[in-house]
């Protein structure tokens, strides 16, 4: 039931782009994305609702394909501050809680 | 106002002792969640509150774990007879409406529990 993220880890040079994928075995009605820096709490980035694509947060955007039960997070022109672990979260338990994905560690280097 | 507040930030306890972890959610947030994060791992759901009731306790690992919420605000997670495998960061989150589908979760900084 836990969403699967890919890749598990990625290293970028500053200015490069990256895509993080989140796949679920169950039907999705929305997908959340969070970023957690080392030793800190996860921070909300965006929610994607069924049929929608939301842009938010720096140069980070995402897409949501409910038919494929997938969401992708796009990071363009990455900055050092983008480093951290990215988690997707999908509503489960009747939509009352979030089940988080396996996480993707992103490191941006000079 | 202020964000989600958790205390203590760090707790070291001996195996077999009981511990209480506290969470102060954002004012007005009706939903409150507890998650656990073991070293280098993901976010494991423990329990969810809507107001003072807990409709979903499915993630509590054993009957040594319990949680309550009073006044629709502060929540306490209690672990009895702690074991070494309980060592982790315990994260609390709150959100305004009660459905997680379309409501961002706001996390506290967590309590790092170490059982020796």
């Amino acid at each position: 039931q836990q969403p699967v993220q890919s890749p598990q880890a990625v290293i970028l040079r500053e200015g490069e782009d990256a895509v993080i994928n989140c796949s679920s075995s169950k039907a999705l009605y929305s997908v959340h994305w969070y970023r957690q820096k080392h030793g800190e709490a996860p921070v909300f980035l965006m929610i994607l609702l069924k049929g929608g694509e939301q842009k938010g947060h720096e140069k980070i955007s995402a897409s949501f394909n409910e038919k494929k039960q997938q969401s992708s997070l796009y990071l363009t022109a990455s900055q050092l501050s983008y480093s951290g672990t990215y988690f997707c979260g999908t509503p489960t338990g009747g939509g009352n809680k979030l089940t988080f994905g396996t996480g993707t560690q992103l490191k941006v280097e000079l | 106002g202020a964000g989600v507040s958790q205390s203590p930030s760090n707790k070291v306890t001996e195996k077999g002792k009981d511990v209480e972890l506290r969470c102060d959610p954002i004012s007005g947030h009706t939903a409150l969640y507890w998650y656990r994060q073991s070293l280098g791992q993901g976010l494991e759901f423990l329990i969810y509150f809507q107001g003072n009731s807990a409709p979903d306790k499915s993630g509590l690992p054993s009957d040594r774990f319990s949680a309550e919420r009073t006044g629709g605000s502060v929540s306490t997670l209690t672990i009895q007879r702690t074991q070494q495998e309980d060592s982790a960061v315990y994260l609390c989150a709150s959100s305004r409406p009660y459905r997680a589908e379309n409501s961002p979760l706001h996390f506290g900084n967590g309590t790092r529990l170490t059982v020796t």
Side-chain angles (χ1 to χ4, degrees), chain B:
Chain B
V4 177
S5 176
Q6 292 188 246
S7 61
S9 54
N10 278 286
K11 177 73 178 176
V12 180
T13 190
E14 290 181 356
K15 179 180 169 182
K17 300 275 190 184
D18 298 351
V19 294
E20 281 190 357
L21 312 180
R22 177 187 167 107
C23 173
D24 248 304
I26 293 172
S27 177
H29 281 195
T30 55
L32 186 147
Y33 308 81
W34 284 97
Y35 286 86
R36 178 169 73 174
Q37 189 171 34
S38 301
L39 187 62
Q41 301 299 308
L43 299 157
E44 177 191 4
F45 170 80
L46 297 178
I47 187 170
Y48 148 74
F49 286 92
Q50 165 58 15
N52 291 336
S53 64
D56 193 336
K57 307 178 185 180
S58 61
L60 294 178
S62 73
D63 58 9
R64 296 186 295 105
F65 287 71
S66 63
E68 65 174 13
R69 189 178 184 194
T70 55
S73 181
V74 172
S75 175
T76 304
L77 177 70
T78 301
I79 309 173
Q80 297 178 310
R81 305 181 302 282
T82 51
Q83 304 294 312
Q84 287 185 330
E85 61 262 28
D86 299 335
S87 296
V89 175
Y90 290 81
L91 290 162
C92 175
S94 69
S95 69
R96 186 172 288 276
Y98 70 91
R99 290 186 71 81
E101 277 178 337
N102 51 14
S103 308
L105 267 60
H106 301 264
F107 284 87
N109 286 329
T111 293
R112 181 175 298 278
L113 176 67
T114 304
V115 182
T116 61

Side-chain angles (χ1 to χ4, degrees), chain A residues 15-76:
Chain A
E16 290 182 336
D17 301 341
V19 180
I20 299 172
N21 299 303
C22 172
S23 296
S24 173
S25 59
K26 294 190 175 272
L28 295 178
Y29 299 97
S30 69
V31 177
H32 293 221
W33 284 97
Y34 293 78
R35 177 173 65 205
Q36 184 178 30
K37 292 182 181 281
H38 184 69
E40 298 181 10
V43 172
F44 169 76
L45 294 176
M46 63 187 74
I47 290 176
L48 291 98
L49 303 177
K50 212 172 170 181
E53 171 176 333
Q54 179 177 343
K55 231 181 202 194
H57 225 92
E58 302 159 346
K59 291 179 184 176
I60 301 173
S61 62
S63 63
F64 177 31
N65 187 325
E66 53 260 39
K67 282 186 181 175
K68 291 185 178 178
Q69 296 168 189
Q70 287 180 346
S71 177
S72 295
L73 188 72
Y74 306 97
L75 300 99
T76 57

